[in-house]
């Protein structure tokens, strides 16, 4: 019988890590700057998911504050990038 | 029971996030990629945060998770819209399978204002009046 801890560590976190690797390929290859910004935004979102998963794995609910801060910073970063790209043209 | 619900929510969220990142890798176009990343990844994160709320089952943790979910649901479309708009102005190439670009020729590339937008036409009218006034006034000086 698999405990929830094992399930989180051996199933969920590897899936999310694989997703990060896949997005990183797009970040490196992305033909244009907006493609790379989309990849970075998705990596931030994946980071929020990983932090939430880690909160369950360790039993520390304080990690949720990290997730909130990451969501805020990710939104600000994407908006700043979009503004910069649009003004640069 | 609680563990089963937590595990199911986490598995759903992780798979949705994996599908979203696969879409970002495989889709042929910036806008299709953005559609995959915004929708699937937001749903996946919301599912994972719900799993956190179910796992701890405290009112403080659940309210923080709900606040994060609502914040994500509010900000993801705004960020995607701004990025898509910027990408359109940069002139990102559309995929080969694209049938129609309904925005083509409708954006003023100088001012970034949509042509069919009513306030834009009013501004244009004001600007035209101003320039014609200056033209009629200039001989008097």
């Amino acid at each position: 019988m698999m405990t929830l801890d094992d399930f989180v560590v051996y199933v969920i976190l590897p899936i999310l890590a694989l997703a990060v690797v896949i997005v990183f390929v797009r970040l490196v290859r992305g033909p244009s700057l907006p493609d790379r910004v989309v990849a970075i935004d998705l990596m931030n979102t994946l980071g929020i998911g990983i932090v939430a998963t880690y909160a369950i794995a360790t039993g520390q609910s304080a990690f949720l504050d990290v997730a909130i801060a990451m969501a805020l910073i990710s939104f600000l970063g994407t908006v700043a990038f979009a503004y910069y790209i649009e003004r640069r043209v | 029971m609680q563990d089963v619900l937590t595990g199911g929510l986490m598995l759903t969220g992780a798979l949705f996030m994996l599908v979203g990142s696969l879409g970002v890798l495989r889709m042929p176009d910036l806008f299709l990629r953005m559609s995959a990343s915004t929708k699937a990844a937001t749903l996946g994160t919301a599912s994972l945060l719900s799993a956190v709320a179910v796992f701890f089952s405290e009112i403080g943790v659940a309210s923080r998770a709900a606040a994060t979910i609502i914040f994500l649901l509010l900000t993801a479309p705004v960020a995607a819209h701004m990025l898509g708009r910027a990408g359109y102005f940069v002139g990102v190439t559309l995929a080969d399978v694209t049938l129609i670009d309904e925005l083509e020729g409708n954006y003023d590339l100088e001012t970034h204002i949509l042509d069919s937008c009513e306030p834009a036409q009013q501004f244009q009218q004001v600007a035209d009046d101003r320039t014609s006034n200056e033209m009629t006034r200039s001989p008097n000086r």
Side-chain angles (χ1 to χ4, degrees):
Chain A
M1 185 61 193
M2 205 179 200
T3 61
L4 187 66
D5 252 9
D6 291 346
F7 181 69
V8 168
V9 173
Y10 292 115
V11 179
I12 304 293
L13 281 177
I15 290 178
L16 292 174
L18 180 65
V20 171
V21 171
I22 289 171
V23 176
F24 189 76
V25 174
R26 175 52 68 193
L27 179 66
V28 172
R29 269 176 35 181
S32 66
L33 183 57
D35 287 303
R36 296 195 163 95
V37 178
V38 167
I40 285 187
D41 187 40
L42 184 54
M43 275 175 118
N44 262 317
T45 315
L46 282 166
I48 296 169
I50 288 175
V51 168
T53 313
Y54 203 66
I56 292 182
T58 57
Q60 297 277 334
S61 63
F63 278 114
L64 210 52
D65 298 333
V66 181
I68 295 175
M70 271 183 89
L72 246 157
I73 292 171
S74 147
F75 172 64
L76 278 181
T78 312
V79 168
F81 265 122
Y83 192 78
Y84 159 69
I85 292 170
E86 191 172 332
R87 289 296 154 217
R88 200 187 49 162
V89 178
Chain B
M1 182 61 208
Q2 195 185 345
D3 282 2
V4 171
L5 190 57
T6 310
L9 277 172
M10 291 182 88
L11 191 60
T12 318
L15 287 180
F16 265 111
M17 290 187 123
L18 185 65
V19 168
S21 28
L22 271 178
V24 165
L25 180 66
R26 297 279 303 161
M27 285 291 188
D29 194 339
L30 169 71
F31 302 105
L32 294 173
R33 272 172 216 147
M34 223 154 48
S35 132
S37 92
T38 305
K39 285 182 284 197
T42 306
L43 181 60
T45 319
S47 188
L48 280 175
L49 288 167
S50 320
V52 172
V54 170
F55 178 75
F56 287 102
S57 59
E58 295 167 23
I59 195 77
V61 177
S63 60
R64 268 185 288 170
T68 317
I69 291 173
I70 290 172
F71 183 78
L72 275 176
L73 287 182
L74 285 179
T75 56
V78 177
H81 171 251
M82 283 192 76
L83 204 53
R85 188 184 148 90
Y88 192 82
F89 282 122
V90 172
V92 169
T93 49
L94 299 177
D96 296 335
V97 291
T98 307
L99 292 180
I100 183 168
D101 176 10
E102 290 194 278
L103 280 177
E104 193 173 20
N106 282 329
Y107 261 125
D108 188 342
L109 290 178
E110 293 284 317
T111 59
H112 290 199
I113 294 175
L114 202 59
D115 267 352
S116 60
C117 190
E118 289 297 328
Q121 280 172 357
Q122 284 169 5
F123 287 142
Q124 196 59 48
Q125 192 67 44
V126 170
D128 288 348
D129 289 351
R130 201 169 287 161
T131 47
S132 61
N133 281 344
E134 279 168 9
M135 282 171 71
T136 51
R137 213 184 300 149
S138 53
N140 297 337
R141 283 185 187 170

